[in-house]
């Protein structure tokens, strides 16, 4: 029986920050005060760097079909997920509001049909701790989700941000690091 591998969607499978910045640039590029910002310059959870809008407006992007149409994989993610699916039952677990979770479920079905999906409604839960991840591996970019999980191996993915800077456990910068770590653990 294959071991379970739980993986977050935003910031781990897809480059959510890049997608949001691209949508913002598309919507505000003709405004006089618009200044082009590269997605790598975003440091805040609530996208404060996108100065012509607010968090409420940014949140509408997450529920928009445009978000999913323009979503890009993190580098080497799809290739590594295909390889990992030979060894693990992959479950993508993500938080969001109902329209966002529906969009994620459709995107996953169309792009990663070998993965299962668990949507966690933000109106009901503040983290993913209610999901039993015992005897499994969990990859997320959120300190809160990682610290409250009961997974045997918890991996913080990607760059340091305000939402994960306090993580003291295992960190993988990219999908090659994930592959090397997980295959070494087996």
């Amino acid at each position: 029986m294959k071991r379970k591998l739980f993986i977050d969607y935003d910031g781990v499978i897809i480059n959510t920050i890049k997608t949001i910045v691209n949508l913002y640039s598309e919507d505000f590029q003709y405004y006089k005060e618009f200044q082009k910002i590269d997605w790598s310059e975003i440091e805040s959870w609530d996208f404060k760097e996108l100065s012509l809008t607010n968090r409420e407006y940014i949140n509408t992007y997450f529920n928009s079909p445009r978000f999913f149409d323009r979503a890009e994989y993190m580098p080497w993610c799809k290739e590594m997920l295909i390889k990992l699916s030979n060894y693990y039952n992959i479950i993508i677990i993500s938080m969001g509001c109902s329209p966002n979770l529906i969009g994620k479920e459709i995107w996953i079905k169309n792009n990663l049909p070998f993965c299962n999906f668990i949507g966690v409604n933000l109106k009901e839960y503040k983290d993913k701790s209610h999901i039993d991840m015992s005897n499994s591996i969990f990859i997320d970019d959120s300190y809160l989700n990682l610290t409250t999980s009961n997974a045997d191996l918890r991996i913080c993915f990607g760059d340091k941000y305000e939402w994960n800077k306090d993580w003291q456990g295992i960190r993988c910068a990219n999908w090659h690091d994930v592959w090397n770590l997980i295959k070494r653990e087996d």
Side-chain angles (χ1 to χ4, degrees), residues 111-137:
N111 293 280
L112 299 169
F114 53 89
C115 296
N116 293 311
F117 177 67
I118 297 174
V120 178
N121 194 314
L122 281 168
K123 292 181 180 178
E124 296 175 41
Y125 300 98
K126 65 178 175 36
D127 61 26
K128 300 172 183 174
S129 62
H130 66 286
I131 306 294
D132 182 14
M133 298 186 208
S134 56
N135 196 32
S136 66
I137 300 169

Side-chain angles (χ1 to χ4, degrees), residues 154-168:
R154 296 170 291 155
I155 303 166
C156 186
F157 183 87
D159 295 336
K160 284 189 179 181
Y161 291 102
E162 68 180 29
W163 56 90
N164 67 28
K165 68 183 185 312
D166 294 330
W167 177 250
Q168 298 298 313

Side-chain angles (χ1 to χ4, degrees), residues 74-164:
M74 297 300 276
W76 294 101
C77 176
K78 186 172 185 178
E79 296 84 353
M80 293 300 169
L81 289 178
I82 290 168
K83 285 172 67 170
L84 288 166
S85 71
N86 293 312
Y87 307 96
Y88 298 94
N89 287 324
I90 299 174
I91 301 129
I92 299 169
I93 180 170
S94 188
M95 300 185 76
C97 294
S98 183
N100 175 261
L101 296 175
I102 291 168
K104 287 174 181 172
E105 186 170 20
I106 292 167
W107 190 92
I108 291 163
K109 183 188 281 187
N110 291 336
N111 293 280
L112 299 169
F114 53 89
C115 296
N116 293 311
F117 177 67
I118 297 174
V120 178
N121 194 314
L122 281 168
K123 292 181 180 178
E124 296 175 41
Y125 300 98
K126 65 178 175 36
D127 61 26
K128 300 172 183 174
S129 62
H130 66 286
I131 306 294
D132 182 14
M133 298 186 208
S134 56
N135 196 32
S136 66
I137 300 169
F138 180 38
I139 305 170
D140 205 311
D141 66 330
S142 165
Y143 174 84
L144 177 63
N145 290 328
L146 290 165
T147 57
T148 60
S149 169
N150 69 338
D152 293 346
L153 177 61
R154 296 170 291 155
I155 303 166
C156 186
F157 183 87
D159 295 336
K160 284 189 179 181
Y161 291 102
E162 68 180 29
W163 56 90
N164 67 28

